[in-house]
Amino acid sequence: MSDRMSGAPRGSAPDLDVIIIGAGFAGLYQLHRLRQLGYAARIIEAGDDVGGTWYWNRYPGARCDIESVEYSYSFDPALQQEWDWSERYAAQPELLSYARHVADRYGLREDITFGTRVERLDWDEDTHRWTVTTDDGTSRTARYVIAATGCLSVPSRPVFEGLEDFAGEVYWTSGWPHDGVDLAGKRVAVIGTGSSGLQTITAIAPVVAELTVFQRTPSFAVPAHNGPNEERLAEARKHYPEIREYSRMSRTGFRCPESTRTLTETGAEEIRRELDTRWADGGLCFSSAFKDVLRDAQANEVAAEYVRGRIRAKVRDPELAEKLSPRTYPIASKRMCVDTGYFEVYNQDHVSLVDLNEQPVRRITARGIVTGGADHERAYDCDVIVLATGFDAMTGALNAMEIRGEGRTLREKWAHGPRTYLGLMSAGFPNLFMVTGPQSPSVLSNMMTSIEYHVDWITRALEYLRERGLHRMEAVPEAEDNWVNTTNDLADLTLMPQAASWYMGANIPGKQRVFMPFIGGVGTYRQIGDGVAVAHYHGFELA
């Protein structure tokens, strides 16, 4: 399909029907769906290849925390049968290969512009079209824009005094060199112990000479029990239709037995047996052992103490085990980590932990990292500093662009937190759709399940407009207000807002703290979204 440049006179056809921003799993599927229906669509992608998250995040140990057979597309039965997932939890190279395979299998590359970053979106109410301006100075017009920009795609880059003075190597997990890094025999410091930090630390510990981990907040982590995937894959291939149907109507978007029991009304022996079973199974289903774990502080503490007990059993030094045991937030109120031997790393003589609550980073020098106060400084010399400092989640990628709708920018509208209807559109920004945007299940779910639902929903909406000769769709402010209130009210019924998490935007200085995902579950959200569509897109203004 063509990629005509703008500059045509007012009233002429736009360059494209749809511009999609981002060539990750969301953008690829969206392009495939639109091309099937004859739309002139093009992806604009900042990277030099497809893959999104798995293109950018190439740090050692990077892998998915959803099982491979479910962290995959369901739209084509043939694709499900032909791709061989080698591990229970796929690592980054395999996930990137999968994305490349999909792009090539469906011939998507011809409609992707690589190495180009979108900087501005400008809405023209007279012509009902967007002008999309990229960093090379090119402008394209489109009737619709679909932001498939990802929930964890803009890195958080906190300022460390003196970082520019460091004489060694500095790497961010979110911007790891594509040709890799040789850390063998080097003294390495890692700042950050979220998911990226845990995976990096576990992967590099066997090869570095010294590893010093700087931890501000410890993470709850459950074992992955990762390994070869032949039996799981063979079983999944026999039952993919049932697996997918279950996942689409589940709370999490993947197979995870949901308990109907409350922990507070269950005996101690049965509680232990159920938690032992979940621990032995591994993965994120641990927090679903009892339905009140995220609603009742007492139940939550029982589950949290169970995990702390497991940490104490793994880490030989009791003082170190305590520092690695989270106590300042409810379990599962931050993203749980799925580990492949993280806690055992600290039993090695060349690995040490620095508690930043006791010794905050003071500055970085040419030789390494200095912690503590002015009267009790301590220096940690190193050859390499790895910064695993996370992302500006959910809103970061959208706010990084200058998106100007009817009178103001999206950044201005979202200054006190994101506001959307169903996580799909925001009032005042017609014809701009978001895939897994704020106030949708997104990061609380299997992203692939949520991505496919949003892409299919958006595609059906565009077909609805086209069939009726309509060209404009916008969220109604009242519907948006109700949805934002619903999202907040549901979150307030849980313990989730008690954590200073990236779900709340708490990891970004100055960012308004508000719970951003929809916690009601994938199945419930799907029923709501389908109901809105059946009711002729109730809550949206069509023109």
Side-chain angles (χ1 to χ4, degrees), residues 219-223 261-264 266-268 270-276 278-279 284-312 325-327 329-333 336 495:
S219 290
F220 285 105
V222 295
R261 297 179 298 173
T262 59
L263 187 148
T264 50
T266 304
E270 181 58 28
I271 291 171
R272 179 76 193 194
R273 184 161 45 246
E274 179 64 20
L275 294 179
D276 282 347
R278 298 276 177 153
W279 190 267
L284 294 175
C285 290
F286 177 83
S287 60
S288 299
F290 297 94
K291 67 179 184 179
D292 56 346
V293 166
L294 268 173
R295 297 178 183 175
D296 184 277
Q298 179 183 347
N300 190 278
E301 178 56 24
V302 171
E305 182 54 30
Y306 177 93
V307 176
R308 291 193 285 261
R310 289 287 190 170
I311 295 171
R312 290 192 291 269
S325 298
R327 293 189 180 275
Y329 59 94
I331 188 171
S333 61
M336 294 275 284
L495 304 175

Side-chain angles (χ1 to χ4, degrees), residues 68 74 104 110 135 226 249 251 276 296 307 369 418 474 485 515 538:
S68 311
S74 71
D104 295 336
E110 64 187 69
D135 57 0
N226 193 34
M249 296 311 300
R251 182 177 63 85
D276 282 347
D296 184 277
V307 176
I369 298 171
E474 180 184 1
N485 291 337
F515 193 77
H538 177 74

Side-chain angles (χ1 to χ4, degrees), residues 192-210:
T193 53
S195 184
S196 299
L198 263 65
Q199 291 178 338
T200 300
I201 290 161
T202 307
I204 69 175
V207 302
V208 302
E210 294 179 14

